[in-house]
Amino acid sequence: MSRPISESRSETAFGDFKLPLAPGEAVAEAERCLFCHDAPCIAACPTAIDIPQFIRKIATGNLHGSARTIFESNILGMSCARVCPVEVLCVGDCVYNHLDQPPIAIGRLQRHATDEAFAQGWTYFSAGPDSGRRVALIGGGPASLAAAHRLRRCGHACTIFEARPSLGGLNTTGVAPYKMRADRAADEIDWVLAIGGIEVRTGVRVGEAVSLSDLERDFDAVFVGVGLGADSPLGIPGEDLENVCGATAWIEQMKIGRVDLAGVERAVVVGGGNTAIDCVREALGLGIPRVIMAYRGDRARMSGYAHEWDAALAEGALAEWRAIPIAYEGSGRVRKVRCIRLDEARRPIAGSEFELEADLVLVAIGQSKLAAMLAGLEGIQVEGGRVAVDAEGFAGRTKWYAGGDCVNGGKEVVNAVAEGDRAAKAIDAMLRGAAKGSPHA
Amino acid sequence: MPDLSTDTGGIRSPNPFWLASAPPTNSGGQVQRAFEAGWGGVVWKTLGTPIRNVSSRFGGHVIGGVRGAGFNNIELITDRPLEANYREIAETKRLFPDRAMVVSLMFETREEWREHIARSIDAGADGLELNFGCPHGMCERGMGSAVGQEPAVNERITSWAVEFSTVPVLVKLTPNVSDIVPHGLAARRGGAHGVSLINTIKSLIGVDIDRFVPEPRVGGASTNGGYCGAAVKPIALHMVAALAREPEFGLPISGIGGVTNWRDAVEFILLGSSSVQVCTEVMLRGFDIVEDMIDGLDEYMRTHGFARISEMVGKAVPNFREWGELDLNYETVAKIDADKCIGCQVCVAACHDGAHQCIHPQEGTRVPRVDETECVGCNLCKIVCPVEDCISMAPVEHGVAPASWNEFVADPETHPLRPKKGSHG
C-alpha cells in the first residue's frame, strides 16, 4: 500500500519514552508474574488478552507462542503494547499494586513478544474457507482493521473504504511519537493485510463516490468505523491566524510530514484531555522552550491521565488552570492568547482577563462527530454524535454494525480493536445463521 | 556472646562453616583466601592417584530464573600433583593454625591408604575424610560411591584408615543408596570418628534439546554427574536426620547438601550436624558468603538463647518421627487475612486444580473464601500465596484426643479418629 510518510518527518526527533526490554530483562520480569487465577489484568484489557499466559511463555523462552496469545485477542497487539495507557488498564490492575512490589511491566513485555514476532516475520493466521459473503468496512482505522482481519479468518471477503490516502487512522497519524512512530504503525497494517482478501479503497469518501445505499445493496454486512472528524474550534476571534492549529491536524503533520517551528518560542495548548497533554509533550520534545496548557478546569478534573500529566510536568510543562481563551491576537501570525479565568462552575470571572504570549496555539478540545452521516438510515440511532450499538456492536438496522471512536466517542486504540473484533464476530454469526441483523432471518 | 566454635568427632573449628572437598578447596591459594574470609574449616579436594578431567564439567539447573538452584559436576578428584597438594596443605595450616584442615582421600590399595594418610598427617591434617561418595568416574574404577554403596567394603577401608591414622577419620557417605542407615553403621563398625553427608546425587542435569545431548556436554556426549546445590537440601536433611535419630549410630555428623546460608546451616545443626560443609553456593558466589553465615548464626543463637553450638545439635531430631506416629487428630484449616490478600487467587487455582477444591472466588471481592468444612489443612494455599503471613493454618478445636495411626490400629476404641474431611463424599 502507499505510504505517504516522509523520511524527514518531524516525529523522527523522538525516541522511545518507555524503552524496550532487553531479552534477559524480559525473562526476569516475566518470572515475577504470579500467574493469577481469573487475572485482574485480563479483565482490565478491553481485548481480554490472556496476559498471564503470554507472560509465562516469555519466561519459558516461547516467544512465538507468546505473541500468538497476544494476537489471538488483539491483532494490533504490537502497537497496543506501545500506545495503551497500561497504567490505567492492565498494569493498573496488577495485584502487585496491592503489595510492596512494582506491578508487572505488561506493556513492555507485550512489546518484547510482538516486536520479536515482527522481527522474525512470524505470521499466525490464514483466511478461512471462502464463505461467498462480502463485508464493507467504512473507515480504515484500528476498528475496521481488527474487524476485517477477524472477518477474513472467518472466510468473508472484505472491502475497506477509507476517505484518506492511507489506512491506519489515528494509530498512524495521531499516536505520540515517543510511544510509536508512524512507520511502525504502517508496518503493522501491512502485516495485518497480509492475511489477504482485504480490498482497500483509499481516497473514497462514503456518501460521495459511494453511497450508503450502494453499500447496503452490494454487501452482506457493513461495519462503520469512521472514527472522529476534524478538530473542533472554540469559535473565538483570531482562529484564522497563522499557527493557530487544530491539535490532531498538527500532530498528523508532525508525524507524517514536517511542522515549521521556526521562531516558535512559546506555545499554548488549549484543553485538558490526553490529546492536549500529547501536544504539550510533543511541543516540548520538539524544542519549544515554553509550553503552557490552558485548561478550563483544574487538575483534578482534567480528563487526561495523571501519569501522562506527571510525565509532561517532568519534561517542563506549565499550566494555566481554569483558564479559557477568548481571542487569539496577532497580525497574520498569532502572538498572544487572550484568556479569562473561570470559577468553580466554569463561568467567566469578570475582570480576570489575562494574556499569554504564544507563537503557536494547539487547540485540543475535541473532534467533530461523523456519525451524523448515518442519520438517514432508518433504525440507526445517533446519540450525542455517537452511533448507538448493542453489546455486540449491532447498530439496530439489518446488516449494520459499528465500533471504534464513532461509537465510544474517542477512546484508545485497544478499545477500537475490541469493538471491531466483537462486531466481526457478531457479523460472522449473523452471516452463518439467523442471528441478529441477518437479512435471512 | 554465643560461642560458634564446634567439635566434629574431635576435629575442632572456630565456627561450623567448612568448605566441602570440591573445586573451592583445590589449592592453597583458594583455601587461604577462604580462611581470610572467615571459613572455620576446609576439606581439601580429594587426593588420589592422578587423574585427567574432561571439558566441560559443570551443569546448572535453572529453576524459576534462579541459576544454579541445582548444580552438577562430572569433575573428578584433584588433577594436581600430590606433592604440590601436600606442600600447600602444610603452608596453609601453618598460616591458619586455628582452622580445621581436613584432607579428603580416595585410594585403592591398603598400602596407598597407609602412605597417603601418613603424608596428610605430616602435612598438618587435623582430620581425614574418606571419599566413599563420588558418583561419577571414580566409581567406574571401583572407588568413590562404589565403596560407599557396599557396607562391607566401606567398613574394611574405614578400618584401614582408622588403623593408620593418628587424627580423627570422617567417612563421607553417598546418598545413592536406598537407606543411608546401614552405610552409616558400616562406617561406625569400621571405627570412624564421624561421617559427612551427603555426597552428590547421581544425576543428569539436563539435555541440550537442539543437539540432543545431555549436559554438561563433552563434545557430542555426556555422562551422569553429581547433583548438588540448594535443590538437594531436602534430601540431605532427611539423610542426616535418619542417621541422627538411629539409636545404634551415635557418631558426630558433618552435614552437607544445599547449604547456602545460615538458615540452612541451622536446620542441619538442629537435625544433628556438628558442622556443615558448603560447596555449590561458594562456586556460585565466592568465599565472602561466610560473613553473613557467621553473622546470621550468631544472631540466631543470641535470640534463641544458645550459648554453644553443641546445645543446638540435634534439637529437632526427637520431632522427626515415623508417619504412623503423627497425630491424625491434629486438624488445621486455612485462614485468609482479607486485609493482606492482594487478590491474585493463585490459591484458588492451586486448591481447585491441585488440592481439595475448598477455596472459592466470591462475588464482589477478589478475596477468596475458604470452605472450612472441606479444607483438609494441606498447606498448599499457604505455600503458593505470594504475601507473607496472609494465609495461616489455624488449629481446629474439636475435642477429639490425639491419636496416631499406630495407636488407632492397635486400639481403635481407646484412640478414635476425628471425622474425615475433604473427600467431598
Side-chain angles (χ1 to χ4, degrees), chain A residues 85-419:
Chain A
V86 293
E87 293 83 352
V88 298
L89 296 175
C90 52
V91 174
D93 275 11
C94 175
V95 296
Y96 272 124
N97 289 297
H98 308 298
L99 200 57
D100 52 359
Q101 291 181 43
I104 301 294
I106 299 169
R108 295 174 77 202
L109 286 169
Q110 182 170 325
R111 173 173 174 177
H112 181 72
T114 54
D115 275 4
E116 183 70 7
F118 275 60
Q120 299 291 338
W122 292 330
T123 55
Y124 297 92
F125 309 109
S126 50
D130 187 5
S131 68
R133 302 308 183 96
R134 303 176 65 222
V135 181
L137 302 103
I138 311 176
S144 288
L145 286 167
H149 191 269
R150 176 69 67 184
L151 289 164
R152 288 301 299 137
R153 290 180 64 188
C154 299
H156 310 304
C158 293
T159 303
I160 296 177
F161 296 90
E162 168 59 57
R164 304 168 74 91
S166 62
L167 296 182
L170 285 174
N171 199 40
T172 305
T173 63
V175 168
Y178 42 82
K179 293 179 182 168
M180 183 175 67
R181 294 195 203 162
D183 55 335
R184 192 70 186 170
D187 288 344
E188 183 176 61
I189 293 164
D190 292 344
W191 185 83
V192 170
L193 294 179
I195 194 169
I198 301 175
E199 184 190 1
V200 176
R201 297 185 60 188
T202 48
V204 178
R205 189 172 292 278
V206 172
E208 295 173 3
V210 181
S211 72
L212 296 173
S213 53
D214 290 342
L215 297 183
E216 190 166 77
R217 181 193 65 225
D218 295 342
F219 290 88
D220 298 296
V222 184
F223 175 78
V224 181
V226 294
L228 298 172
D231 295 294
S232 303
L234 274 170
I236 58 174
E239 284 179 337
D240 55 350
L241 288 170
E242 191 184 332
N243 274 11
V244 175
C245 307
T248 65
W250 182 82
I251 292 170
E252 175 172 353
Q253 184 63 28
M254 185 246 324
K255 282 185 67 71
I256 63 175
R258 288 198 69 80
V259 286
D260 180 11
L261 298 178
V264 176
E265 296 287 320
R266 296 148 304 188
V268 169
V269 176
V270 183
N274 286 309
T275 304
I277 301 176
D278 283 355
C279 285
V280 169
R281 298 184 65 188
E282 287 157 355
L284 287 164
L286 289 170
I288 300 173
R290 188 174 167 82
V291 181
I292 299 176
M293 189 177 78
Y295 175 51
R296 60 184 173 158
D298 49 31
R299 181 171 175 174
R301 273 204 269 177
M302 66 194 287
S303 62
Y305 299 126
H307 67 270
E308 288 286 344
W309 180 242
D310 288 342
L313 284 176
E315 290 161 4
L318 302 169
E320 290 289 351
W321 305 110
R322 281 199 256 150
I324 193 166
I326 51 174
Y328 307 118
E329 296 175 356
S331 60
R333 184 171 175 174
V334 70
R335 286 289 167 230
K336 286 177 191 169
V337 181
R338 290 197 60 74
C339 297
I340 191 165
R341 295 275 176 214
L342 304 176
D343 64 15
E344 288 285 350
R346 292 187 175 170
R347 288 174 309 228
I349 300 170
S352 68
E353 292 181 21
F354 64 101
E355 288 180 355
L356 294 173
E357 295 188 349
D359 315 303
L360 174 67
V361 176
L362 302 174
V363 184
I365 59 166
Q367 294 170 257
S368 69
K369 306 290 197 290
L370 296 174
M373 65 182 276
L374 304 176
L377 293 178
E378 192 181 338
I380 295 182
Q381 303 288 318
V382 176
E383 296 163 359
R386 306 179 190 185
V387 185
V389 299
D390 69 8
E392 296 180 331
F394 177 59
R397 179 182 172 92
T398 299
K399 292 188 180 183
W400 289 77
Y401 294 77
D405 283 357
C406 69
V407 165
N408 63 39
K411 285 189 177 174
E412 304 296 337
V413 174
V414 69
N415 299 99
V417 172
E419 292 169 24

Side-chain angles (χ1 to χ4, degrees), chain B residues 57-392:
Chain B
R57 305 174 195 177
F58 303 139
H61 188 183
V62 181
I63 302 175
V66 179
R67 284 166 218 288
F71 195 87
N72 93 341
N73 83 90
I74 55 172
E75 186 173 286
L76 304 184
I77 60 175
T78 185
D79 58 5
R80 306 178 61 229
L82 288 172
E83 291 67 29
N85 279 292
Y86 287 126
R87 188 174 63 243
E88 291 169 20
I89 289 168
E91 175 189 300
T92 305
K93 184 65 195 174
R94 199 164 51 241
L95 290 169
F96 296 91
D98 67 322
R99 311 301 169 90
M101 173 64 77
V102 181
V103 176
S104 173
L105 300 173
M106 183 195 288
F107 287 96
E108 285 189 87
T109 67
R110 187 177 153 91
E111 280 317 303
E112 284 172 340
W113 282 102
R114 183 203 301 272
E115 176 192 345
H116 290 284
I117 287 172
R119 290 183 69 179
S120 298
I121 295 169
D122 281 351
D126 299 309
L128 305 174
E129 186 181 86
L130 313 185
N131 182 341
F132 294 169
C134 182
H136 51 270
M138 302 313 290
C139 54
E140 296 172 18
R141 305 174 200 177
M143 293 179 277
S145 62
V147 174
Q149 287 165 336
E150 293 294 338
V153 184
N154 168 347
E155 180 182 342
R156 182 170 72 244
I157 297 178
T158 302
S159 69
W160 295 347
V162 171
E163 176 189 341
F164 302 142
S165 179
T166 56
V167 297
V169 173
L170 306 179
V171 171
K172 187 164 180 179
L173 297 175
T174 177
N176 299 300
V177 293
S178 56
D179 178 6
I180 197 72
V181 172
H183 304 277
L185 293 177
R188 181 186 173 86
R189 285 195 303 275
H193 303 90
V195 295
S196 325
L197 74 163
I198 58 173
N199 205 312
T200 55
I201 303 165
K202 205 164 205 174
S203 61
L204 275 183
I205 196 75
V207 178
D208 182 326
I209 62 173
D210 299 313
R211 292 187 174 93
F212 319 121
V213 178
E215 302 274 11
R217 190 168 58 84
V218 181
S222 190
T223 190
N224 56 280
Y227 191 49
C228 53
V232 310
K233 189 183 81 172
I235 297 166
L237 285 177
H238 167 253
M239 290 191 164
V240 166
L243 279 179
R245 75 170 177 188
E246 170 57 42
E248 292 176 27
F249 180 66
L251 291 183
I253 296 170
S254 187
I256 314 171
V259 178
T260 65
N261 56 38
W262 64 268
R263 291 178 180 276
D264 299 329
V266 168
E267 293 178 51
F268 273 88
I269 293 169
L270 294 176
L271 286 177
S273 303
S274 301
S275 56
V276 295
Q277 298 185 28
V278 181
C279 167
T280 308
E281 190 66 1
V282 163
M283 290 181 69
L284 299 174
R285 319 260 178 241
F287 295 128
D288 290 348
I289 61 167
V290 77
E291 177 177 324
D292 173 60
M293 299 180 95
I294 293 169
D295 265 9
L297 177 61
D298 183 274
E299 181 64 13
Y300 172 83
M301 291 174 70
R302 194 190 307 273
T303 54
H304 289 72
F306 293 117
R308 274 169 292 282
I309 299 287
S310 57
E311 295 169 11
M312 297 168 58
V313 175
K315 192 104 175 143
V317 172
N319 298 325
F320 171 45
R321 310 268 180 82
E322 295 296 325
W323 193 94
E325 296 171 33
L326 301 179
D327 178 11
L328 284 169
N329 288 338
Y330 177 71
E331 179 183 351
T332 60
V333 292
K335 301 275 187 187
I336 299 173
D337 184 335
D339 292 334
K340 287 184 176 158
C341 176
I342 60 171
C344 67
Q345 297 190 359
V346 170
C347 58
V348 173
C351 186
H352 269 249
D353 295 354
H356 296 88
Q357 300 85 50
C358 61
I359 302 185
H360 307 288
Q362 303 188 86
E363 284 291 317
T365 173
R366 289 285 303 175
V367 180
R369 173 181 65 83
V370 178
D371 178 356
E372 295 186 5
T373 64
E374 288 293 344
C375 175
V376 301
C378 76
N379 217 32
L380 180 61
C381 53
K382 182 173 166 61
I383 291 167
V384 299
C385 180
V387 184
E388 195 78 20
D389 297 330
C390 175
I391 297 182
S392 54

Side-chain angles (χ1 to χ4, degrees), chain A residues 16-59:
Chain A
D16 285 330
F17 180 66
K18 291 181 187 171
L19 295 176
L21 292 166
E25 210 180 357
V27 170
E29 182 68 359
E31 296 278 9
R32 292 179 58 231
C33 176
L34 295 172
F35 205 67
C36 291
H37 172 74
D38 187 21
C41 54
I42 302 177
C45 174
T47 56
I49 294 172
D50 191 341
I51 293 165
Q53 198 65 256
F54 95 67
I55 291 178
R56 185 171 179 86
K57 292 179 181 183
I58 291 174

